[in-house]
Amino acid sequence: MTAQELEKDFLDKVADEIKIEPRDWMPEAYRKTLVRQISQHAHSEVVGMLPEGNWITRAPSLKRKAILLAKIQDEAGHGLYLYAAAETLGVSRESTIDDLLSGKAKYSSIFNYPTLTWADIGAIGWLVDGAAIMNQVMLCRTSYGPYARAMVRICKEESFHQRQGFDILHVLSKGSDAQKAMCQDSINRWWWPSLMMFGPRDSDSTHSDQSMAWKIKRMSNDELRQKFVDMIAEQVKVLGMTLPDPDLRWNEEREHYDFGEINWEEFWNVVKGNGPCNRERLEARRKAHEEGRWVREAAIAHAAKKNRRKQAA
Ligand code: BYC
């Protein structure tokens, strides 16, 4: 087949909703976009374990501790499915992880904020996992097969995560005055960073147009953000709490909630590495990688020994 025929075959598959698989021909730019997005997504899952891990030893009960541990382990699993999906595009796991540790690769801005109180664990589950699901449900239909299939499994686990977060806040919202205040304070601090998870405005998004054309993304950053605001503006009423936005109001004509302007300067500042916890997060990942070095070396030595024995036999 000529280059034009290959490209046409690829575009026809995308148009007909046939998944692109690892051995199929694909444009180099499509492959690169996927490697970028999937690896950033994997890094987000792994770095995302850190703010929550901060509360494992201080969870208020054995039950809450067991639930939090299970949730954090799920995030590690999500990272692994996604690193494996990225590997199907011809990049090694080592190089992808090196890019994270050297600060070259991005991960979601949200994980550069600190978890100051137990209520933050509730706010992360409800708002952060809520925003993640909103984005990831669409990614279950993404055009690249291994990414779409990883997303189906991840979304099932994420819905449990969101419910556990809402449950934490629900209990606090019915508690003492101090617990209610802690609940409101966590919502105040996590609301705007959660909206930033959806990425820049469509007009400032570098990759959206091409990613939508290739059906990697099925909805734009602004569309998903609006859906999220509409959902949370209703759910917050069940908690008897408020969202920290004086401009939030239902718009009859649009049939959507209007909301205030995001602080984009803060967003880009965090993305560029200058958020409250960027340095601390990367430091923690580098330390974990160093401390795990002997495990990787032992696994490689063990595999080589088994291989030698097999060949000798
Ligand atoms: N933070 O052209 P755009 C989770 C970057 S974790 C940092 O719109 P795109 C969880 C963007 O990368 C869930 N950077 O990009 C885990 C690009 O820079 P580069 C994480 C951001 O890719 C533990 C530039 O800005 N979810 O669930 O079309 C505990 C221009 O943006 C951000 C995913 O990763 C950001 N927020 O759209 C709890 C989902 N936003 O690469 C929960 C998969 C944008 O050119 N990713 N940038 O240097 C996506 O869906 C898309 O990549 C995005 C951005 C919607 C995030």
Side-chain angles (χ1 to χ4, degrees):
M1 275 174 136
T2 64
Q4 279 101 328
E5 283 167 343
L6 287 166
E7 172 116 32
K8 185 180 175 308
D9 188 53
F10 166 82
L11 291 173
D12 285 350
K13 274 193 196 137
V14 171
D16 294 344
E17 302 290 337
I18 298 171
K19 295 277 177 253
I20 305 299
E21 297 297 339
R23 288 187 188 159
D24 293 345
W25 184 90
M26 60 187 84
E28 184 52 19
Y30 176 83
R31 195 188 68 82
K32 275 201 174 141
T33 298
L34 281 168
V35 168
R36 178 187 61 80
Q37 180 169 323
I38 299 174
S39 59
Q40 285 178 0
H41 194 163
H43 301 326
S44 304
E45 299 283 355
V46 171
V47 177
M49 296 161 76
L50 297 169
E52 293 182 299
N54 190 29
W55 281 89
I56 294 174
T57 55
R58 291 176 288 162
S61 68
L62 181 61
K63 186 177 134 202
R64 290 289 186 202
K65 186 176 184 141
I67 295 171
L68 182 59
L69 268 172
K71 177 188 192 288
I72 296 174
Q73 284 179 8
D74 284 351
E75 312 297 1
H78 298 174
L80 290 181
Y81 312 154
L82 288 163
Y83 283 127
E87 281 176 311
T88 66
L89 291 154
V91 285
S92 73
R93 190 170 303 198
E94 288 74 19
S95 71
T96 321
I97 290 175
D98 281 350
D99 285 348
L100 169 70
L101 301 180
S102 71
K104 187 174 156 207
K106 291 193 169 74
Y107 57 87
S108 183
S109 50
I110 192 78
F111 302 117
N112 294 305
Y113 291 86
T115 38
L116 304 179
T117 67
W118 170 250
D120 288 6
I121 300 305
I124 289 184
W126 177 44
L127 297 174
V128 175
D129 287 272
I133 298 172
M134 195 54 89
N135 173 284
Q136 289 169 355
V137 163
M138 125 188 124
L139 290 174
C140 294
R141 294 188 297 117
T142 194
S143 55
Y144 186 58
Y147 193 22
R149 291 189 286 274
M151 277 302 128
V152 172
R153 196 157 161 191
I154 291 177
C155 280
K156 286 191 181 141
E157 291 170 352
E158 294 287 18
S159 10
F160 149 72
H161 295 174
Q162 194 192 16
R163 287 183 60 174
Q164 69 86 36
F166 190 80
D167 184 66
I168 290 174
L169 293 187
H170 196 238
V171 169
L172 290 174
S173 73
K174 303 276 171 291
S176 64
D177 285 348
Q179 286 170 322
K180 285 181 189 158
M182 186 165 80
C183 179
Q184 182 63 60
D185 170 64
S186 71
I187 296 171
N188 292 349
R189 282 181 293 105
W190 289 90
W191 173 244
W192 291 105
S194 301
L195 293 189
M196 294 175 194
M197 286 176 74
F198 295 94
R201 270 189 296 245
D202 291 352
S203 51
D204 296 327
S205 165
T206 354
H207 305 289
S208 275
D209 289 346
Q210 185 57 77
S211 289
M212 298 275 280
W214 280 330
K215 296 188 183 171
I216 292 175
K217 283 164 94 163
R218 315 289 304 224
M219 289 175 87
S220 78
N221 300 359
D222 286 336
E223 281 173 311
L224 287 168
R225 191 167 13 243
Q226 180 70 64
K227 266 177 80 116
F228 178 70
V229 171
D230 291 348
M231 177 179 86
I232 298 295
E234 289 300 319
Q235 291 180 354
V236 75
K237 294 179 190 166
V238 180
L239 294 175
M241 299 282 146
T242 55
L243 296 175
D245 180 355
D247 296 325
L248 184 80
R249 64 183 60 85
W250 178 251
N251 182 324
E252 279 295 343
E253 224 169 276
R254 292 199 313 121
E255 297 198 336
H256 285 295
Y257 276 91
D258 289 337
F259 57 100
E261 186 62 18
I262 289 170
N263 182 342
W264 293 111
E265 196 185 322
E266 174 182 328
F267 169 72
W268 289 115
N269 206 25
V270 176
V271 170
K272 285 179 189 144
N274 303 316
C277 300
N278 292 60
R279 280 171 200 85
E280 185 183 327
R281 299 292 182 240
L282 274 191
E283 210 35 64
R285 286 313 313 156
R286 286 189 194 119
K287 183 165 176 275
H289 195 70
E290 247 344 281
E291 287 173 354
R293 182 178 295 282
W294 71 270
V295 180
R296 292 190 297 279
E297 286 172 357
I300 291 167
H302 182 66
K305 187 174 81 183
K306 269 178 76 177
N307 210 15
R308 274 197 308 275
R309 280 194 186 150
K310 202 171 147 196
Q311 275 173 358

